[in-house]
Amino acid sequence: VLVCLYAMALPLLPNIRYYAGNGAGQKNKLSSTTIETPPQDNRIMIEKIGVNASINEGNDLSALNNGSWRRPNTSTPDEGGNTVIVGHRFTYTGNDIFYHLDKVAVGDNIRVWWEGESHDYIVKTIAEVQPENTEVEAPTISKELTLYTCTPLWSAKNRLVIVATPKEDQ
């Protein structure tokens, strides 16, 4: 019985952690030290939903199973163009990186630490697209950050796509 209850509750743990740590609709409290001190690795931070995750590199899809993953053949924040980072909404390994990505809104802040430099972005657009819509990964002339994950929760039917532009361009 306990095993069954645990199995039923496991998919709800990200919501329990989110609401217990935040209160409904309030920002997750990442320490200012965590946000301002350059990390030793490349990281994505979305304070509103409590994301503070390393960005994995690699040409193998298995990199996605370790957290967020910068899609191969897309740009990096220091190069400009379209930097594309993807993450699962839920995995049984605890890497529910983008579980709450649907709570991000236009105007929210996203920070990417890349090679020891902070790159701040503001969310400009949010869309839902079909999985075969690979244009979201297309190179761009202007510097932007594209995040995406499966949606709706518990399904790979579509992709939730967040596009953000550099804060200094505002």
Side-chain angles (χ1 to χ4, degrees):
V1 172
L2 290 175
V3 171
C4 288
L5 288 174
Y6 177 76
M8 290 175 19
L10 185 62
L12 302 174
L13 288 179
N15 264 338
I16 293 167
R17 285 192 308 262
Y18 179 79
Y19 289 109
N22 297 319
Q26 292 184 6
K27 291 184 178 183
N28 190 355
K29 307 296 188 267
L30 294 175
S31 75
S32 59
T33 304
T34 303
I35 292 174
E36 299 304 326
T37 304
Q40 299 298 312
D41 58 355
N42 297 324
R43 298 191 80 70
I44 182 166
M45 297 178 174
I46 309 171
E47 185 175 9
K48 181 176 185 178
I49 60 172
V51 170
N52 182 351
S54 64
I55 300 170
N56 297 298
E57 293 283 309
N59 292 322
D60 187 328
L61 187 60
S62 65
L64 179 59
N65 294 330
N66 296 319
S68 67
W69 177 41
R70 186 185 65 85
R71 291 284 291 151
N73 304 317
T74 67
S75 190
T76 60
D78 56 341
E79 292 177 356
N82 189 14
T83 302
V84 180
I85 300 173
V86 299
H88 285 302
R89 292 205 57 196
F90 182 79
T91 64
Y92 288 93
T93 62
N95 290 323
D96 48 315
I97 302 301
F98 288 161
Y99 188 94
H100 293 290
L101 196 62
D102 60 332
K103 292 174 177 61
V104 171
V106 170
D108 286 346
N109 296 308
I110 300 172
R111 175 169 288 171
V112 173
W113 283 96
W114 192 263
E115 303 296 327
E117 296 290 324
S118 174
H119 301 268
D120 293 316
Y121 299 87
I122 305 272
V123 174
K124 285 296 173 194
T125 62
I126 300 171
E128 192 172 306
V129 301
Q130 299 293 313
E132 57 274 1
N133 185 347
T134 58
E135 291 86 35
V136 299
E137 294 186 9
T140 58
I141 295 170
S142 60
K143 186 177 178 181
E144 66 183 38
L145 173 68
T146 301
L147 309 178
Y148 71 85
T149 192
C150 293
T151 198
L153 193 57
W154 317 115
S155 169
K157 180 181 176 188
N158 291 317
R159 302 294 179 264
L160 174 63
V161 180
I162 308 272
V163 177
T165 57
K167 200 171 197 175
E168 64 266 10
D169 291 350
Q170 308 305 309

